[in-house]
Each structure stands twice: as C-alpha cells, then as structure tokens.
C-alpha cells in the first residue's frame, strides 16, 4: 500500500476481533512512529501498550466515558500515548519559544498519533484516537512518573468492521489563497 492509499483508506475502527496483536507488530508500529517529527527533535512522546484485561477494564470504567469504555473493552490493546512535560516549545533557559506556549506538545503528540495509526492501518490493524478521559485517574492507574502526561488513547486490534468512508469537505471549502 502506498502512502496516499494508506491515508485515504484509514478509518476509525471501534470494533475489533479477539485476536491478539503480536508484540513484534506493536514494536514495528512504535519503530515507525518514532520517526514522526517533533519540536526541535525533542521526541517527547512515549507509548504504553496496555494488554492486561483487568487494567483495561479499570481504565474503561474509571477514567473514560461509557461510549469510549465499550471501545476500549473490545480492543486487544490500548495504546496510551504520553508526553514528557516541559520540553516541547521551550528554549534551554525555560522560556517559551513562541506565543503558543506549551501547546506544541499537543501538536507533537497529534503527529505521533497519526503516524502510529497510519502504520497500524498499513499492517492490517484498526484503531481510533480517543481524547475524552480523566487525566489524573489515568496517570494513577498507569503509575506514570511525575512530569509525564497522557495525550490520547488509541484502542488497537484487528478490525471486526469496515467503516464506510465519512463525508469529506471539498478542497474549495478548505483551501484559500491570498
């Protein structure tokens, strides 16, 4: 599959088979995602593959909304993307490089998340990026060290559905020239 086909055919998958995802494949995904660009090459994103059924159930029940809980519960793996705080968007003296402050860290995490889900799609896996969760509860459940924050959740596995492509805006609605 070429890159344009991968981008155009990836869908948000919310239902998965029970088939386990091999660790080698998860490592390949992170191997690819680590090449996502980042602010001054700070590489702040970290990946946690949650396979433990009991921990996934606790995350689903205690740290997400019911709609997301059902998706997480049905996925063989919950990839949790975290980031190291205070590195992205800063100068060496601790000041912000731009008026965006620390928001660059979210940009870097978004680029890494998209790279991961495209790599997953290319390998035959389905995924969806979730952003509604209780940050403090997740940090507690995952025993995150201080200075590391959850960016997003990505349920991941072999698709049990093939979602139809969503309607997309026309280029003329998205692009303007000055």
């Amino acid at each position: 599959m070429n890159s344009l086909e991968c981008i155009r055919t990836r869908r948000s998958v919310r239902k998965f088979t029970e088939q386990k995802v091999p660790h080698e494949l998860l490592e390949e995904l992170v191997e690819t995602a680590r090449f996502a660009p980042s602010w001054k090459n700070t590489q702040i994103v970290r990946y946690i593959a949650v396979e433990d059924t009991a921990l996934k159930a606790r995350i689903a029940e205690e740290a997400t909304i019911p709609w997301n809980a059902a998706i997480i519960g049905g996925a063989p793996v919950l990839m949790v993307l975290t980031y190291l705080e205070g590195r992205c968007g800063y100068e060496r003296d601790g000041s912000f490089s731009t008026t965006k402050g620390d928001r660059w860290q979210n940009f870097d995490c978004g680029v890494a998340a998209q790279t991961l889900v495209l790599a997953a799609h290319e390998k035959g896996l389905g995924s969806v990026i979730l952003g509604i969760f209780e940050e403090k509860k997740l940090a507690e459940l995952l025993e995150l060290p201080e200075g590391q924050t959850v960016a997003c959740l990505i349920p991941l596995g072999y698709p049990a559905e093939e979602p139809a492509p969503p309607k997309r805006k026309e280029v003329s609605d998205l692009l303007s020239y000055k």
Side-chain angles (χ1 to χ4, degrees), residues 57-95:
R58 287 195 68 197
I59 289 169
E61 292 300 316
E62 299 175 32
T64 65
I65 60 174
W67 171 259
N68 287 350
I71 299 167
I72 291 167
V77 178
L78 176 62
M79 289 295 282
V80 180
L81 271 64
T82 68
Y83 61 88
L84 304 178
E85 299 171 3
R87 296 186 184 180
C88 185
Y90 293 87
E91 293 299 320
R92 291 191 189 276
D93 66 4
S95 65

Side-chain angles (χ1 to χ4, degrees), residues 10-16 67-68 71-72 75 77-79 113 116-117 120 125-131 152-157 161:
R10 193 208 76 80
R11 303 285 177 264
S12 291
V13 174
R14 294 174 174 86
K15 293 182 182 173
F16 307 91
W67 171 259
N68 287 350
I71 299 167
I72 291 167
V77 178
L78 176 62
M79 289 295 282
L116 182 85
V117 300
L125 296 173
S127 62
V128 61
I129 300 171
L130 305 176
C152 66
L153 307 176
I154 304 178
L156 184 68
E161 65 177 358

Side-chain angles (χ1 to χ4, degrees), residues 24 30 38 47-48 63 97 104 107 114 121 135-136 138 144:
E24 297 80 24
V30 174
S38 63
Y47 306 85
I48 302 169
S97 300
W104 281 106
F107 185 83
Q114 179 69 354
H121 175 56
E135 288 183 45
K136 288 182 182 178
L138 265 172
L144 293 182

Side-chain angles (χ1 to χ4, degrees), residues 9 30 70 120 141:
T9 61
V30 174
L141 291 170

